[in-house]
Amino acid sequence: MEGVISRTNPRPMWAWGRRLRYEDLLIEEAKEVQEALELASPETQTARTRRIKRAIDLSYKKKSMNDYAPGQDQETFKEEIYADIKKIRSREQEYAQLNAPNKI
């Protein structure tokens, strides 16, 4: 996930205790992430938005998800959009390679 997660992104400081998924921490301004989110199903987009809103609310209240749902598995490392991000990156690399002779 190099180049997509930033060390200056404020979400990772509080994200794990609030039960976000790893993919929820991706920087949405990255071109490949934006495109992958556009291609994602409405259910995936809704679930991601709800997780982020819940994490913000819990952070504001200074609570952890374990206070409300102890033992609930949030599938932290489940990948829903990362496969699309990989495909978009490879497409962009192939496009750059095919157009490299045209730049000379």
Side-chain angles (χ1 to χ4, degrees):
M1 296 227 166
E2 70 243 13
V4 179
I5 293 182
S6 169
R7 293 184 186 269
T8 59
N9 188 352
R11 288 185 191 163
M13 290 186 282
W14 48 266
W16 298 120
R18 311 298 186 243
R19 303 287 176 101
L20 285 175
R21 289 190 181 161
Y22 188 70
E23 289 183 337
D24 296 338
L25 303 176
L26 297 175
I27 298 173
E28 296 174 10
E29 287 79 25
K31 188 174 94 172
E32 60 267 6
V33 176
Q34 283 180 349
E35 188 173 344
L37 287 172
E38 289 173 5
L39 296 172
S41 68
E43 294 84 15
T44 301
Q45 293 175 357
T46 302
R48 183 175 192 271
T49 303
R50 287 180 180 169
R51 284 191 302 272
I52 291 171
K53 286 181 179 181
R54 180 179 60 219
I56 291 169
D57 182 53
L58 290 173
S59 178
Y60 177 75
K61 294 175 181 176
K62 300 200 183 322
K63 297 285 185 178
S64 175
M65 188 65 177
N66 287 332
D67 297 338
Y68 297 100
Q72 183 181 10
D73 182 24
Q74 295 291 320
E75 300 175 322
T76 304
F77 296 103
K78 182 179 179 183
E79 295 181 352
E80 294 179 327
I81 63 170
Y82 191 60
D84 292 334
I85 292 173
K86 284 182 181 179
K87 290 176 188 176
I88 293 166
R89 282 184 184 162
S90 64
R91 182 195 66 202
E92 294 297 323
Q93 288 174 351
E94 181 180 355
Y95 183 73
Q97 289 174 350
L98 290 173
N99 286 328
N102 295 340
K103 293 183 179 181
I104 297 176

